[in-house]
Amino acid sequence: MPTAFDPSLALKPGGIAVITGAASGFGRELALLCAAAGLQLVLADVDEAGLAQTVALTGLPPAAVLAQPCNVADAGEVDRLAARAHERFGAVHLLFNNAGVIAAGPSWKATPQDWQWVFGVNVMGVAHGIRSFVPGMLAQGEPAWVVNTASVAGLVCPPELGVYAASKHAVVALSECLHHELAGSGQPVGVSVLCPAYVDTGIADAFRHRPAELAERNPDDAAFLARTKVAMQAGRLSARDVAQRTLDGVREGRFYILSHRSAAAGVESRLRAFLAGGAPDNPLAGVG
């Protein structure tokens, strides 16, 4: 359904884009593309060294970029990020709730800490971003857009990714609800949900930033993620490709941004099984 306003106006030069998970992967590439498009940036991540590198790569002058360490699982830290963004720039036109982590292995071996860490970042990070930034975006009365990073694992249910897939399904559900709410707000604010498949983003190494108190993980996690890294590195699309498709999706006002069209077959298979009352197959076989 087309929006009632031109979503490309959210990407106008001089606008402000907030990007979480900006130290690497999609977040870094989104930052570089937004900077090249003339936007000013608010960048956040727990990886301070990676964040500083992203800032340097943008080539923006200090006045045009704000970088802040931020654990998106902490509501107070996201509130402070929003406060600093508005103090510095006075508005936000693009919000990329992009920070994400992964835990893997058979679901019955998942630890309570796996659930807490993954849902804290992947789900509550998005929820905190919406709560902290969207009210201001609505109050501005200017075209604005929210992009929540989910995954194709938010549309299908791959084996050994129970915790991760559950978190990404939650992101898709939250994004769909937000779409309906924003559409009824009367304000020019829209939302997309990004659902990529295998891309080499560095997420398989996210454990290095896992809090010590949440370190107890699925005993099969490391082995599964080692295999996943191979699949990611063999993927045909780069993080840059996906970031470009994401901005194109915003310009076109698309809700679902599915980077890998081949992944649609897995979604269709799942829905056919649902309608037939059958069992799902492995949805990511052959996707890359």
Side-chain angles (χ1 to χ4, degrees):
M1 179 184 298
T3 60
F5 65 97
D6 182 356
S8 68
L9 294 175
L11 282 158
K12 65 182 179 182
I16 296 88
V18 175
I19 305 170
T20 67
S24 61
F26 300 140
R28 172 172 288 174
E29 298 301 336
L30 286 167
L32 299 183
L33 289 174
C34 285
L39 281 87
Q40 303 173 92
L41 302 178
V42 177
L43 306 178
D45 205 294
V46 295
D47 179 358
E48 296 187 41
L51 193 60
Q53 187 177 10
T54 298
V55 171
L57 288 170
T58 67
L60 292 175
V65 58
L66 168 65
Q68 180 164 317
C70 180
N71 175 11
V72 297
D74 186 315
E77 291 195 26
V78 181
D79 281 343
R80 287 188 286 275
L81 179 68
R84 287 202 65 197
H86 283 279
E87 179 182 1
R88 170 74 75 87
F89 297 113
V92 169
H93 302 96
L94 283 166
L95 170 63
F96 295 94
N97 288 313
N98 172 72
V101 297
I102 188 170
S107 300
W108 61 87
K109 295 183 181 181
T111 67
Q113 291 82 3
D114 285 331
W115 289 99
Q116 186 175 346
W117 181 52
V118 172
F119 268 67
V121 176
N122 292 1
V123 181
M124 295 313 300
V126 174
H128 296 325
I130 291 169
R131 182 186 58 80
S132 296
F133 284 97
V134 169
M137 297 169 82
L138 291 168
Q140 290 165 192
E142 302 174 17
W145 207 265
V146 179
V147 179
N148 297 326
T149 299
S151 167
V152 70
L155 301 172
V156 295
C157 304
E160 296 194 78
L161 285 176
V163 177
Y164 179 74
S167 75
K168 292 304 187 178
H169 275 259
V171 172
V172 172
L174 177 56
S175 300
E176 291 189 9
C177 291
L178 181 64
H179 164 77
H180 297 308
E181 295 155 1
L182 292 174
S185 72
Q187 296 301 318
V189 182
V191 60
S192 298
V193 60
L194 171 62
C195 298
Y198 289 126
V199 180
D200 188 11
T201 63
I203 192 174
D205 296 316
F207 181 80
R208 68 190 188 279
H209 298 301
R210 187 164 171 165
E213 66 274 15
L214 300 178
E216 184 180 348
R217 59 173 168 165
N218 191 310
D220 293 345
D221 181 60
F224 180 88
L225 291 181
R227 297 193 300 272
T228 300
K229 285 177 68 173
V230 173
M232 288 178 169
Q233 291 165 357
R236 292 184 293 274
L237 295 182
S238 67
R240 179 82 167 195
D241 294 330
V242 174
Q244 184 62 66
R245 293 185 182 193
T246 301
L247 295 189
D248 291 344
V250 172
R251 290 188 181 95
E252 296 165 8
R254 283 189 278 126
F255 176 78
Y256 297 107
I257 302 176
L258 192 63
S259 64
H260 296 69
R261 295 309 308 169
S262 58
V267 179
E268 182 178 4
S269 175
R270 177 173 183 257
L271 292 176
R272 288 184 182 277
F274 166 75
L275 293 172
D281 55 15
N282 185 346
L284 292 188
V287 175

